[in-house]
Amino acid sequence: MILQPWPRDLGPVICVVGARPNFMKMAPILRAFAGHLPAIPTVLVHTGQHYDKDMNDKLFDDLKLPKPDINLGVGSGSHTVQTAEVMRHFEPVVDEYKPSCVLVVGDVNSTLACSLVAAKKGIKVVHIEAGLRSYDRAMPEEINRLLTDQLADRLYTTELGAQDNLVREGIAAERVCFAGNVMIDSLLHNRSLARPVTQTLADAGLPTDLLDNKDGYAVVTLHRPSNVDQLATLQPLLKVLREISERLPIAFAIHPRTRANIERFGLMELMRSPRIALLPPQGYLEMLGLMSGAKLVLTDSGGLQEETTALGIPCLTLRENTERPITIEQGTNTLVGIDPKVIWQYVNEVLVQGGKSGRVPALWDGKAAERIADDLARWLMATVYP
């Protein structure tokens, strides 16, 4: 712990959030910064990359995130337009606050955009969740991850293999710190507050016993463009989900992009079943409650791969690759792709044998943010107190 006071000439840390996954990662960081001795001064910037007022406010309340000091309000757009708009709106913030560093999390467009602004202005960049790789450059997130890590001055990793990725890419090992997983900090901090499943169903106007089944229920999320933007991919996925629901009722939290495509392709009838709970996008505590009670999770989300591993819930990832291999090597995750026959094979395995068991990876212990706060304070203050 640093005993010196925070230097007056060492500016605040600008902390950037842009999309829902960022909120869960930033909440424990801000708590740890506020509780550090000395407290680490922060400015919270919400780029507005993803913004739904009701859901945004609910997530901030659920996670007890302070309201943003600044909301850039950039809104949606193509990847290029969105990145450019974030950069254009973020630069005056950097000029005004003269931060000691800009701290970014994850791999959304805002992560890269704000890193670019900081790097071009000679401001240190700190990246939390560094070094994750899917090796699929068709994923916009992979481009964001690669470039942000190259720009970053201090890189915090969630798993040991991430440092190997960074070193292979020419990033000096002394810039990297293995801190653990702040997503799991949020999960462990909030687990006792998870919303009961019956309340979630009631709030959606659904029968509260819809998921009450002797074999349990499955939770489904789909949002990756590669899965939901083409009829030829989305239709078989929805068909297999409908078939699975006949054995295991499903809670399907439908992403706005997915719902729009289901309606555009005329596929909504496939999802109308008394065994499928069609839910709107859920708050953090609602999703935590749904996952905690699930027999199985089917998803293309990176964050859910980690959360199910921490919860010990079998997860089938509907993708051909993952940037979180530790959830497969040590956790409860299985990469199954999008072939309906293969998906059914693994669903049956869960139903008959109970599914894959795993263990919680190293430093996924709820204290990652505290380790980051201690290290970041030492690193920044070394520029003033060498």
Side-chain angles (χ1 to χ4, degrees):
M1 196 70 72
I2 306 297
L3 297 179
Q4 296 96 333
W6 195 262
R8 290 185 179 181
D9 56 349
L10 192 58
V13 176
I14 291 183
C15 298
V16 177
V17 294
R20 174 186 172 121
N22 296 165
F23 303 161
M24 283 80 93
K25 296 164 190 171
M26 194 60 73
I29 293 165
L30 292 178
R31 274 198 310 273
F33 284 8
H36 191 267
L37 293 175
I40 301 172
T42 59
V43 175
L44 180 60
V45 175
H46 188 341
T47 67
Q49 174 181 329
H50 290 169
Y51 193 84
D52 174 287
K53 184 179 187 304
D54 292 337
M55 184 54 66
N56 187 85
D57 291 348
K58 179 166 177 45
L59 284 168
F60 270 72
D61 290 343
D62 283 353
L63 293 162
K64 296 181 172 56
L65 261 171
K67 298 301 180 188
D69 298 292
I70 298 166
N71 194 314
L72 304 182
V74 299
S76 59
S78 70
H79 289 286
T80 301
V81 168
Q82 196 172 67
T83 303
E85 284 299 294
V86 172
M87 292 180 70
R88 188 168 70 86
H89 286 80
F90 186 61
E91 184 176 24
V93 176
V94 173
D95 290 340
E96 177 181 355
Y97 285 93
K98 298 177 174 54
S100 56
C101 65
V102 169
L103 183 149
V104 295
V105 295
D107 53 21
V108 300
N109 289 338
S110 297
T111 303
L112 175 58
C114 294
S115 299
L116 281 165
V117 170
K120 284 179 174 289
K121 299 187 79 67
I123 305 295
K124 291 181 174 65
V125 175
V126 174
H127 186 203
I128 292 175
E129 202 180 71
L132 299 181
R133 297 290 181 268
S134 68
Y135 300 101
D136 178 5
R137 294 201 180 190
M139 292 176 64
E141 296 90 345
E142 183 77 352
I143 304 301
N144 294 340
R145 287 189 284 263
L146 284 161
L147 296 179
T148 299
D149 285 343
Q150 287 296 324
L151 295 170
D153 299 277
R154 195 68 177 154
L155 301 96
Y156 294 101
T157 59
T158 61
E159 55 184 81
L160 285 171
Q163 177 161 331
D164 297 334
N165 295 336
L166 295 169
V167 170
R168 278 195 300 271
E169 293 165 11
I171 293 170
E174 56 265 26
R175 288 162 57 190
V176 183
C177 175
F178 174 40
N181 194 332
V182 292
M183 280 280 282
I184 307 309
D185 288 13
S186 270
L187 185 149
L188 296 177
H189 184 79
N190 290 289
R191 189 174 184 182
S192 64
L193 304 174
R195 196 83 71 231
V197 172
T198 52
Q199 185 62 53
T200 298
L201 293 172
D203 290 346
L206 296 168
T208 57
D209 62 350
L210 193 152
L211 301 178
D212 187 8
N213 177 65
K214 65 180 178 63
D215 292 323
Y217 63 88
V219 171
V220 172
T221 74
L222 287 173
H223 75 280
R224 297 275 174 192
S226 59
N227 278 342
V228 305
D229 281 2
Q230 303 297 323
L231 174 63
T233 304
L234 182 58
Q235 186 172 36
L237 283 173
L238 296 184
K239 281 184 176 179
V240 75
L241 291 177
R242 174 65 178 257
E243 293 168 4
I244 291 167
S245 73
E246 294 169 8
R247 291 277 306 279
L248 198 65
I250 285 175
F252 189 177
I254 306 183
H255 189 279
R257 180 193 195 100
T258 307
R259 180 178 286 275
N261 284 330
I262 289 173
E263 292 173 350
R264 179 164 65 99
F265 297 137
L267 299 175
M268 188 56 77
E269 198 58 36
L270 269 176
M271 294 290 95
R272 298 197 194 283
S273 163
R275 304 272 292 176
I276 300 176
L278 291 179
L279 299 168
Q282 294 295 293
Y284 181 71
L285 298 180
E286 284 80 5
M287 276 303 296
L288 186 51
L290 285 166
M291 281 192 298
S292 296
K295 176 82 170 181
L296 169 68
V297 172
L298 298 103
T299 187
D300 57 11
S301 161
L304 264 62
Q305 295 172 51
E306 294 179 330
E307 290 170 328
T308 49
T309 279
L311 291 168
I313 305 296
C315 177
L316 303 184
T317 295
L318 308 178
R319 288 167 48 185
E320 303 298 336
N321 53 57
T322 179
E323 65 283 354
R324 292 165 168 85
I326 199 167
T327 64
I328 295 172
E329 295 160 6
Q330 297 183 22
T332 56
N333 184 28
T334 303
L335 201 63
V336 301
I338 59 173
D339 183 328
K341 290 182 180 178
V342 176
I343 295 169
W344 249 122
Q345 172 190 333
Y346 284 101
V347 169
N348 277 321
E349 185 177 297
V350 172
L351 290 171
V352 174
Q353 301 174 18
K356 182 180 180 183
S357 60
R359 64 182 178 86
V360 178
L363 300 190
W364 290 25
D365 57 1
K367 298 178 181 178
E370 295 172 19
R371 286 186 284 268
I372 289 169
D374 286 344
D375 180 83
L376 186 66
R378 280 194 297 270
W379 180 68
L380 288 173
M381 293 180 101
T383 64
V384 178
Y385 302 117

